[in-house]
Amino acid sequence: MITYQEWEQEELQVEIDNPDKGALNALKWAYKEYGEDIIYACSFGIEGIVLIDLIHQVNPKAKIVFLDTNVHFKETYETIDKVKEKYPDLQIELKQPSLTLEEQSKLYGEELWKTNPNECCRLRKVLPLEQALSGYSAWLSGLRREQSETRKNVQFINKDDRFQSIKVCPLIHWTWKDIWRYAHKHDLPYNPLHDQGYPSIGCAPCTKPAYTMDDLRSGRWTGNQKTECGLHG
Ligand code: SF4
């Protein structure tokens, strides 16, 4: 495998001042390098939908997986339906956890997200992603450097020790404004909760409106030390 940097020098110079800030080049590299052997794990927030639109320009039949914890907002499921309608050729799978909510309650108690959110994320997100990625060499993610301290060093191509994979992140240089400018310009469907104070949307029991727009993820797991679900290191 050649590195992204090598490919960049050989074929195209990535100028982060380009409108897409290198995202399309990263995607072209990823699909050229991995072909059918790469999948996008999408949360269907606004970054996710922008990335879907970019992916669709490079590979209209790309594979996408959504980790369906069974406790997402109804608006999120409705957004997925709209995306499926707009891009009918994309292969979008809603990946289910091994345990139903009832089975999880019996084994771990009611509302595990309150008593042990790390375990709940492990069961309903991390293990399903592990299963979803097991058939692939690489995955795509919509991480942006601006999103949080823990994401500020993300590269276009990352060695992912957690999932024994390569994680490609085409949107690393995009700002929140870039995302919305693109979404409005291209009239993309998006989750209406974004207009109600939720910049970052996860599972319903663990997501509140952000208390400050200086930290777009401040509505996630509020009142808890937890800031990540465990998918990104
Ligand atoms: Fe469970 Fe909350 Fe994690 Fe969703 S975000 S898997 S409900 S702890």
Side-chain angles (χ1 to χ4, degrees):
M1 183 186 86
I2 62 166
T3 66
Y4 179 80
Q5 285 75 14
E6 287 164 349
W7 173 82
E8 179 187 341
Q9 282 164 11
E10 280 174 18
E11 301 207 14
L12 283 168
Q13 285 296 317
V14 171
E15 295 173 17
I16 62 171
D17 289 339
N18 281 354
D20 67 85
K21 298 189 169 182
L24 282 170
N25 286 341
L27 286 168
K28 284 175 191 162
W29 175 83
Y31 282 104
K32 186 176 168 193
E33 181 70 21
Y34 293 107
E36 291 289 300
D37 202 13
I38 184 166
I39 188 164
Y40 172 31
C42 183
S43 63
F44 286 86
I46 189 62
E47 288 99 341
I49 292 168
V50 166
L51 187 49
I52 283 179
D53 193 76
L54 295 168
I55 286 173
H56 187 256
Q57 294 169 38
V58 177
N59 181 3
K61 295 188 175 176
K63 293 173 191 160
I64 296 171
V65 63
F66 171 71
L67 302 175
D68 184 2
T69 58
N70 312 129
V71 283
H72 285 285
F73 293 98
K74 77 169 173 34
E75 289 87 345
T76 302
Y77 293 107
E78 288 164 2
T79 303
I80 294 171
D81 288 341
K82 284 186 194 153
V83 170
K84 283 181 172 173
E85 220 171 278
K86 183 171 171 67
Y87 309 96
D89 289 339
L90 289 175
Q91 304 176 59
I92 300 176
E93 180 198 357
L94 272 61
K95 175 81 180 157
Q96 306 297 316
S98 304
L99 297 176
T100 64
L101 284 173
E102 292 70 29
E103 288 166 342
Q104 180 170 295
S105 293
K106 274 186 197 151
L107 286 169
Y108 296 90
E110 296 280 327
E111 300 186 325
L112 185 58
W113 44 86
K114 285 186 183 163
T115 56
N116 191 344
N118 285 335
E119 184 63 5
C120 186
C121 276
R122 191 181 74 83
L123 294 167
R124 308 200 79 72
K125 286 188 172 180
V126 178
L127 293 180
L129 182 62
E130 200 171 277
Q131 289 166 6
L133 298 185
S134 65
Y136 296 90
S137 298
W139 63 298
L140 286 156
S141 167
L143 295 186
R144 296 182 299 112
R145 288 183 178 174
E146 184 200 59
Q147 274 171 325
S148 67
E149 272 298 297
T150 55
R151 298 180 180 184
K152 68 180 184 190
N153 296 319
V154 179
Q155 305 294 319
F156 279 121
I157 301 178
N158 307 269
K159 189 165 174 285
D160 184 350
D161 293 327
R162 173 65 189 81
F163 295 105
Q164 305 291 306
S165 185
I166 299 294
K167 180 163 67 176
V168 182
C169 302
L171 299 182
I172 52 173
H173 296 300
W174 286 52
T175 64
W176 189 234
K177 275 189 186 162
D178 294 331
I179 293 287
W180 281 103
R181 210 175 284 132
Y182 185 96
H184 288 312
K185 186 174 173 193
H186 297 274
D187 197 21
L188 301 185
Y190 66 85
N191 193 324
L193 291 176
H194 283 309
D195 293 334
Q196 297 168 37
Y198 296 77
S200 175
I201 304 167
C203 299
C206 301
T207 308
K208 300 266 182 300
Y211 61 79
T212 166
M213 288 305 278
D214 290 339
D215 178 358
L216 298 176
R217 289 177 60 79
S218 59
R220 305 290 296 276
W221 301 286
T222 46
N224 194 302
Q225 291 294 309
K226 186 172 168 66
T227 56
E228 296 278 353
C229 45
L231 304 183
H232 301 293

